[in-house]
Amino acid sequence: MADADAEAAFLSSMQAMNNAGAAEYEHTGGATIEQIDSSSSDEYDPAQEVQNITMSPRLQFQAQSNQISSVTPSNGDASRAVSTPANSSFVPADMSAVGSLSDTQTQGDNQNEALEDNSAHQSEAGYSPATAVQSDVLPNLTTSAVESNVGVSTYDDSAALQKANDQPYTSAKSPATITMPKARLPHDRVGQLEDRIKEDERGDIDAWLNLIDDHRKRGKLEETRRVYERFFTVFPIAAEQWVAYTQFENEANNRAAVESIFNKTLKNIPSYPLWSAYLDHIRRYFNISADKTGSASQINHSAYEAVIEAVGIDKEAGKLWQDYIQFIKSGPGVLGGSNWQDQQKMDLLRKVYQRAICTPTQAVEGLWREYNAFEMGLNKLTGRKFLQDQSPAYMTARSSYMELQNVTRELKRTTLPALPPVPGFDGDVEYMKQVDIWKRWVQWEKDDPLVLKQDESEKYKARIIFVYKQALMALQFWPEMWFDAVEFCFNNDLETQGNELLAQGISANPESCLLAFKLADRLELTTTNGNDDESKKRRGDIVREPYDKVLDALYELVAKAMAREARDIGRVENHFSAIQTDFENGTDQVEGDPDNEETEQKKDSERMKRSQIDIVKSMAAVQIRLLHKTISHAWIALMRAMRRIQGKGKLNALVGGSRQVFTDARKRGRITSDAWIAAAMDEYHAFEAEAAKRIFERGLKLFPEDETFALEYIRHLIATNDHTNARVVFETAVGRLSQKPETTPKAKPLYAYFHDFESRYGELSQIVKLEKRMSETFPDDARLASFSQRFSHEGFDPTTVRPIISPVTQTRPKSIPMPSIELTTSTQTSPPNHFIPTVNSPKRALPLEESDNDSNRPRKLLRGESPLKGAAGRRLDQQKRNRQPPEMSYLEGQSNTHPLLSTPLPRDVLFLLSIIPKSTTYHATKFNPQEIVRLIRDTHIPSSVSQLRPPPPQNGVGAQQMVAIPQAQYNGKCPNVSQGLHFALPDQKFLHEFAGRRSEDMTRIWQRS
């Protein structure tokens, strides 16, 4: 029964939304859509495309104006209602709490007083923001930072809402002049810096540092401390400034303040300079040279161990290890001695040496040499054993340090974080390069080059966490790095560190949906519902807290963007007003016609002013549109989380569920159609289809020119087989969009989707009519595309298929011209360049470009092939010179910028061609290649010894035994093969003699023949 009542209340609330946008919906029975349409809407239109929807007074900046000029918004969801007096204007003291002013208010000072009173009333009756994220790590540093970034309170006064909604919403131009805050005097440097910090506290780091430096130079110690504390609420892990803060307090001889700083920071900031400052502080106040009791030495030793444990794995910590070793050597005892103190010193020194040489630092090679001398100086026999045991670890550390230097060569290790530049603007490439280098360093540690993962997993995890914290000091405002660090902690059973990092990340980036959603998911997974509504309520409150905080931060960014836009427009207005005043006073007049000159200058000034104002508005519109989209998706995520925890819930009940979230989102405003689509689809798939339909109907009236919403509504109707209403919605949406030339292109996706639907399930006549309308609306589109689209499916278009009719003529392979050897050899003026690939080497450090992780290893170059030397090399070089065309001789010594037309021959083939005499040197027998091939083919080769024919008896052994050729027929010409050549197989003796001849004998035989 309770569920039925809740369902009825929700459905009726969708119909009975009144003018004031009250927080509680009353049951209205059988209210119809027509009745809803006739009433004023309580909804805030994020796109501001419905003129009868007004802003929430909490976020509206409106004042009385003698003359208001309406301006058509260039972008629906970006324009705001800004109207101020034409003669007397004002700037509110707190733009995050501006409100709506009535039409009966007077101008001048009364407007300022009314605004301040209204703002004060809003701060009393407003929705209190959620408490700041408390960090167990930095309890005194993060609270203020988060509180300064929480969102704007929601003004929940029903009477004020009613009064605001009674007035029609208008988008107005800025007034002629807007009074800006009183300008600072030129010598008021502190005031100017404070203004810069107030306007951009996270982005203008230079203003912070200059303000601190100015106070220090003036000797204002308390002012300097206050600025430092304010600075650290925004940048809590800026180790460089913490070190500067300790130096400032040391100069003031304030030991208690220095120790307080160390107590705040050392636990959570693994910075080598900061821990070195701590070590210097200990050595300053606990001097071992005047230590008679030994307590100072013990304190120094403990401090060294603490520093080594915290930052000893830093790659720049080599000096720290060397100082520690020198401290141990300076202690009591003699190396090589026999008493217990000497032995204790020796064991401690050996232990520290072995730890140091296993750590990849810049001093690892020097430490190894010292350790070698230490062991060999004590006992050569045992020293060799110790060195042999530690040598593999040292070699790994040394090569790992070289690899790490290659990875981090262009890294800028800083602890002063910068906001990431917007892609496409100045500094974005450099910032992303630093992000990529930090990620490569983290991945290098995860690849385990020191081989710690299996045997020493704790050290392996500690090194990765250390690098993550180093990266987060430089990339404090890069949420993805926080997310990666948190994920690593949760995946490796480091729950405490993961929760601490997540809290710090949200504190540094309160507007980050990534970190807020991660925390909400974590809370949802680690909590469970009970059997009663109280447990659901408690769990819902716990999970909802991160969503509320990120929404508060996003709403505050919207208010700041609007205030910044109004402030920039005011500066432009004041600038051109001053120019106009100077002109009217005659300061800028020139000779000529005064009337014409004045008219032309006024026109130019007005044109330039409008141009600059349009630029300001367009930039603000982009920012606010993005924030509206982000806010909507944050509400969507919260809506889905509450559906999983509390179900659909009941409005204004103990368990509100997803419907209460949707109601809160509509009351607070600044949501786009995405939230309405998500709410409707949630209702359809999880609860009631009728509720989804009502949400779509209401949203279509709020977003009449939003093609995305209309398209999703049509898809929903088609999915539910409501084709008639789908056609009605299509015609309604297309008709509205086609009324204005600037909104006509928005109708194209609607036409495309509905044309696809009609092509599949509609009548042909309807398809033809739709295509005709499309061609009339978009005449530049090809008719063939719309026609062939009917028959295409999943990327396949049968109308474009070209079947193979004649394979002989249609599938004939293309002829590829083969390169000519003569052309290649004639144009080859130099040997081809061989690009030798690079391989790893720990001895060279090559610059890293865009490459994968494997290229981060050290590399070395393979040696190229050596040229031929001696007589063979000279012959090859001479051959290449002879084959160079005369017309290309002038190219010698110049680089050939044009590639060869053919592939060069291998070097060995070129060498063989170079040693063969030219064809012009042959004056003896010249063979016919075709006849030689035919002779070899037709020659009968005996298959057995019995078929051998004995050679004719001849005197002597020589060439006559091989071939019997009449001497008369051999007179320098090739004998006629057709006349017959008598071949005889040589005897065994001749074969042995012929096989044993050297190359010069073969040459003489060839010459005799």
Side-chain angles (χ1 to χ4, degrees):
M1 187 64 182
D3 292 341
D5 294 341
E7 182 66 28
F10 180 77
L11 294 178
S12 62
S13 67
M14 295 303 301
Q15 296 177 337
M17 290 184 288
N18 52 32
N19 295 343
E24 182 175 357
Y25 288 97
E26 298 180 358
H27 187 71
T28 58
T32 61
I33 297 298
E34 289 76 9
Q35 294 171 342
I36 297 175
D37 295 341
S38 63
S39 62
S40 299
S41 173
D42 69 325
E43 300 295 337
Y44 172 74
D45 181 8
Q48 296 190 5
E49 296 168 345
V50 181
Q51 295 300 320
N52 61 349
I53 305 299
T54 61
M55 289 185 179
S56 171
R58 186 66 182 88
L59 300 173
Q60 187 180 21
F61 174 40
Q62 186 179 19
Q64 183 184 7
S65 176
N66 293 336
Q67 183 178 0
I68 298 177
S69 301
S70 299
V71 177
T72 303
S74 59
N75 195 305
D77 62 347
S79 53
R80 270 86 49 212
V82 181
S83 57
T84 53
N87 299 326
S88 178
S89 55
F90 68 92
V91 172
D94 183 10
M95 288 299 296
S96 65
V98 294
S100 173
L101 300 179
S102 64
D103 293 337
T104 59
Q105 290 174 338
T106 59
Q107 301 177 358
D109 296 336
N110 292 336
Q111 292 176 341
N112 290 328
E113 295 173 0
L115 181 63
E116 292 173 358
D117 294 340
N118 195 15
S119 300
H121 171 67
Q122 291 174 10
S123 63
E124 294 175 359
Y127 173 80
S128 60
T131 57
V133 178
Q134 295 293 336
S135 172
D136 295 335
V137 180
L138 299 172
N140 297 326
L141 300 178
T142 59
T143 303
S144 300
V146 180
E147 289 176 350
S148 63
N149 289 292
V150 294
V152 185
S153 301
T154 302
Y155 185 52
D156 196 18
D157 194 330
S158 300
L161 283 170
Q162 177 69 39
K163 184 177 181 179
N165 286 338
D166 289 341
Q167 301 177 2
Y169 168 75
T170 57
S171 176
K173 287 197 301 184
S174 299
T177 59
I178 295 181
T179 303
M180 303 303 297
K182 186 178 179 180
R184 301 281 186 176
L185 296 176
H187 63 274
D188 188 8
R189 178 174 173 80
V190 173
Q192 295 172 2
L193 293 174
E194 288 286 1
D195 290 341
R196 288 171 55 185
I197 292 173
K198 183 178 180 181
E199 185 175 350
D200 187 11
E201 65 175 1
R202 284 194 286 177
D204 199 348
I205 299 180
D206 292 336
W208 284 104
L209 301 182
N210 292 335
L211 182 60
I212 293 172
D213 186 63
D214 189 83
H215 284 313
R216 293 185 65 175
K217 289 180 179 178
R218 296 172 184 266
K220 297 181 178 180
L221 303 184
E222 292 301 326
E223 292 293 334
T224 304
R225 292 187 180 98
R226 282 195 287 267
V227 176
Y228 264 125
E229 294 300 328
R230 289 165 51 199
F231 175 84
F232 290 126
T233 59
V234 183
F235 307 99
I237 53 178
E240 296 175 20
Q241 290 308 303
W242 282 113
V243 174
Y245 194 12
T246 59
Q247 293 174 354
F248 165 75
E249 294 294 356
N250 277 324
E251 292 173 0
N253 200 22
N254 192 348
R255 178 180 176 182
V258 173
E259 293 178 355
S260 176
I261 293 172
F262 288 139
N263 290 332
K264 291 179 182 178
T265 59
L266 290 179
K267 180 181 177 182
N268 306 288
I269 305 178
S271 170
Y272 174 62
L274 180 61
W275 281 86
S276 297
Y278 162 74
L279 187 59
D280 294 341
H281 176 78
I282 295 297
R283 289 186 291 191
R284 173 185 177 182
Y285 288 101
F286 298 93
N287 190 359
I288 60 176
S289 60
D291 183 23
K292 298 181 180 180
T293 62
S295 60
S297 298
Q298 184 63 32
I299 293 175
N300 276 266
H301 183 268
S302 300
Y304 267 113
E305 282 294 332
V307 176
I308 289 290
E309 185 68 22
V311 295
I313 59 178
D314 195 300
K315 69 185 187 71
E316 306 296 335
K319 186 177 182 303
L320 175 63
W321 287 101
Q322 292 174 336
D323 291 346
Y324 189 23
I325 291 173
Q326 292 300 322
F327 169 76
I328 296 175
K329 288 181 178 179
S330 64
V334 179
L335 293 178
S338 58
N339 59 26
W340 66 270
Q341 196 173 33
D342 300 335
Q343 294 294 325
Q344 186 183 51
K345 182 176 182 179
M346 180 187 66
D347 294 339
L348 179 59
L349 194 58
R350 177 180 290 117
K351 180 180 179 180
V352 175
Y353 266 127
Q354 292 179 356
R355 291 168 61 191
I357 62 176
C358 296
T359 305
T361 63
Q362 78 274 27
V364 65
E365 294 185 10
L367 291 170
W368 172 257
R369 288 192 294 269
E370 293 181 13
Y371 178 57
N372 194 342
F374 166 74
E375 292 290 0
M376 299 302 292
L378 294 177
N379 188 310
K380 291 186 178 181
L381 182 61
T382 59
R384 290 191 183 94
K385 180 180 182 301
F386 281 120
L387 293 174
Q388 184 178 3
D389 294 340
Q390 298 299 322
S391 179
Y394 158 70
M395 295 298 294
T396 301
R398 188 185 68 173
S399 61
S400 297
Y401 175 74
M402 294 179 180
E403 293 179 15
L404 186 56
Q405 285 295 96
N406 288 335
V407 173
T408 61
R409 180 170 301 106
E410 299 182 13
L411 180 65
K412 298 177 182 178
R413 294 190 67 177
T414 179
T415 61
L416 289 177
L419 290 169
V422 177
F425 288 82
D426 182 46
D428 64 324
V429 176
E430 293 80 4
Y431 190 91
M432 293 307 301
K433 184 176 182 180
Q434 294 299 309
V435 173
D436 182 65
I437 295 174
W438 281 112
K439 289 183 177 180
R440 291 208 305 262
W441 188 355
V442 172
Q443 187 59 45
W444 182 84
E445 292 288 353
K446 290 182 178 180
D447 292 340
D448 194 20
L450 298 177
V451 196
L452 301 172
K453 190 173 184 179
Q454 296 295 331
D455 299 332
E456 299 177 280
S457 61
E458 294 301 324
K459 289 185 179 180
Y460 169 76
K461 297 176 185 179
R463 289 190 62 89
I464 297 176
I465 293 297
F466 177 81
V467 178
Y468 267 126
K469 290 185 176 181
Q470 301 299 309
L472 292 173
M473 281 188 265
L475 306 176
Q476 178 181 343
F477 302 123
W478 189 252
E480 286 82 351
M481 187 62 69
W482 291 96
F483 181 86
D484 291 342
V486 170
E487 279 290 290
F488 176 81
C489 292
F490 288 153
N491 293 335
N492 290 273
D493 299 328
L494 301 174
E495 300 289 333
T496 303
Q497 295 190 46
N499 292 328
E500 292 175 354
L501 289 174
L502 188 55
Q504 293 180 35
I506 293 177
S507 175
N509 303 273
E511 69 286 338
S512 171
C513 291
L514 175 66
L515 299 178
F517 295 169
K518 178 62 181 178
L519 177 58
D521 286 354
R522 186 74 182 171
L523 294 174
E524 186 176 350
L525 290 173
T526 54
T527 57
T528 57
N529 278 345
N531 297 326
D532 54 347
D533 291 344
E534 287 290 343
S535 63
K536 293 182 180 179
K537 175 68 166 55
R538 286 194 299 270
R539 188 186 180 201
D541 293 342
I542 293 173
V543 174
R544 180 164 181 166
E545 183 178 2
Y547 292 105
D548 287 338
K549 290 178 180 178
V550 72
L551 285 169
D552 290 341
L554 292 172
Y555 276 109
E556 184 185 11
L557 289 179
V558 173
K560 288 182 177 180
M562 294 175 62
R564 189 183 306 113
E565 179 189 10
R567 189 166 53 248
D568 293 341
I569 292 175
R571 291 194 182 104
V572 175
E573 297 280 359
N574 291 343
H575 172 73
F576 284 96
S577 297
I579 293 177
Q580 183 64 25
T581 302
D582 293 341
F583 179 78
E584 292 175 355
N585 293 334
T587 57
D588 293 335
Q589 290 184 358
V590 295
E591 295 182 359
D593 189 351
D595 295 335
N596 293 337
E597 184 68 22
E598 182 179 0
T599 303
E600 291 297 327
Q601 185 155 351
K602 282 184 177 180
K603 290 182 179 179
D604 294 341
S605 178
E606 186 66 23
R607 189 182 307 109
M608 293 175 63
K609 181 179 72 173
R610 285 283 9 131
S611 175
Q612 293 189 21
I613 290 177
D614 290 341
I615 292 174
V616 171
K617 287 185 175 181
S618 62
M619 294 179 63
V622 173
Q623 300 176 32
I624 296 178
R625 187 186 309 116
L626 179 62
L627 290 173
H628 286 174
K629 198 83 171 176
T630 308
I631 288 172
S632 299
H633 283 77
W635 281 113
I636 291 172
L638 176 57
M639 195 186 312
R640 292 171 178 171
M642 291 299 103
R643 174 181 54 79
R644 294 190 296 265
I645 297 173
Q646 299 178 350
K648 60 185 177 182
K650 184 178 181 181
L651 296 180
N652 302 314
L654 183 63
V655 178
S658 61
R659 291 180 175 178
Q660 184 64 53
V661 174
F662 183 48
T663 302
D664 295 342
R666 299 201 315 275
K667 287 164 53 181
R668 196 163 184 181
R670 300 291 176 190
I671 60 174
T672 63
S673 60
D674 299 320
W676 288 76
I677 294 172
M681 298 310 296
D682 270 2
E683 289 289 340
Y684 176 75
H685 289 287
F687 306 123
E688 295 293 335
E690 186 64 25
K693 183 178 179 181
R694 293 180 184 276
I695 293 174
F696 271 122
E697 291 174 354
R698 182 64 181 173
L700 189 63
K701 294 176 175 60
L702 290 176
F703 308 100
E705 296 181 359
D706 192 332
E707 72 280 7
T708 303
F709 185 86
L711 183 59
E712 291 296 330
Y713 190 14
I714 293 172
R715 287 176 175 172
H716 171 71
L717 292 173
I718 290 176
T720 57
N721 292 326
D722 193 355
H723 298 172
T724 302
N725 285 329
R727 290 184 172 90
V728 172
V729 173
F730 168 75
E731 294 294 341
T732 303
V734 168
R736 289 173 178 173
L737 294 175
S738 301
Q739 291 176 358
K740 301 177 184 179
E742 61 271 15
T743 59
T744 300
K746 292 184 177 182
K748 184 171 287 188
L750 297 176
Y751 274 112
Y753 178 79
F754 213 73
H755 177 264
D756 181 70
F757 168 71
E758 292 287 3
S759 300
R760 297 171 185 268
Y761 312 110
E763 297 291 338
L764 182 59
S765 59
Q766 297 295 331
I767 300 174
V768 174
K769 290 180 181 179
L770 184 59
E771 290 179 352
K772 184 178 179 181
R773 289 178 60 188
M774 293 172 64
S775 62
E776 293 174 353
T777 307
F778 309 104
D780 296 336
D781 293 350
R783 293 290 301 272
L784 177 61
S786 60
F787 179 80
S788 60
Q789 189 66 28
R790 299 189 205 170
F791 313 100
S792 62
H793 179 67
E794 295 182 356
F796 178 75
D797 187 1
T799 62
T800 60
V801 174
R802 298 178 183 176
I804 299 176
I805 308 301
S806 173
V808 177
T809 58
Q810 292 181 273
T811 61
R812 184 181 305 164
K814 293 183 179 180
S815 58
I816 302 176
M818 299 300 294
S820 172
I821 296 179
E822 293 185 0
L823 178 61
T824 301
T825 56
S826 63
T827 58
Q828 180 80 14
T829 60
S830 62
N833 294 327
H834 297 280
F835 297 95
I836 308 301
T838 59
V839 297
N840 296 337
S841 170
K843 298 181 180 180
R844 293 179 179 86
L846 299 178
L848 294 177
E849 297 180 356
E850 297 180 359
S851 58
D852 53 10
N853 294 331
D854 293 338
S855 65
N856 294 336
R857 303 294 190 211
R859 301 174 293 179
K860 65 180 180 180
L861 293 175
L862 289 177
R863 180 177 296 175
E865 296 180 356
S866 301
L868 294 175
K869 298 180 181 179
R874 290 193 296 271
R875 285 196 298 270
L876 177 59
D877 182 68
Q878 184 62 34
Q879 182 66 20
K880 290 187 294 183
R881 292 177 181 271
N882 293 337
R883 292 180 179 179
Q884 178 178 340
E887 61 271 17
M888 296 184 63
S889 61
Y890 71 96
L891 294 176
E892 279 196 11
Q894 301 181 11
S895 61
N896 186 13
T897 59
H898 300 282
L900 296 176
L901 300 178
S902 59
T903 305
L905 294 174
R907 187 187 65 174
D908 297 336
V909 175
L910 290 176
F911 173 69
L912 177 62
L913 294 176
S914 67
I915 64 177
I916 296 178
K918 297 182 179 180
S919 59
T920 56
T921 61
Y922 287 92
H923 301 286
T925 303
K926 295 184 178 181
F927 297 97
N928 188 342
Q930 290 81 5
E931 295 298 332
I932 290 295
V933 172
R934 186 180 61 81
L935 177 63
I936 295 175
R937 183 188 61 202
D938 297 341
T939 299
H940 175 70
I941 299 177
S943 59
S944 61
V945 179
S946 60
Q947 298 179 1
L948 293 177
R949 183 177 61 183
Q954 299 287 343
N955 294 328
V957 179
Q960 290 81 4
Q961 290 182 286
M962 295 182 63
V963 181
I965 303 177
Q967 186 65 28
Q969 296 181 5
Y970 183 76
N971 52 6
K973 299 181 180 180
C974 181
N976 190 357
V977 181
S978 61
Q979 295 178 359
L981 294 177
H982 303 284
F983 285 84
L985 293 176
D987 56 7
Q988 201 74 12
K989 180 180 179 181
F990 175 77
L991 290 177
H992 287 291
E993 291 180 359
F994 186 78
R997 292 181 184 275
R998 294 177 298 179
S999 58
E1000 54 268 25
D1001 296 332
M1002 295 174 62
T1003 304
R1004 287 197 296 270
I1005 292 175
W1006 172 258
Q1007 291 176 353
R1008 286 200 306 271
S1009 60

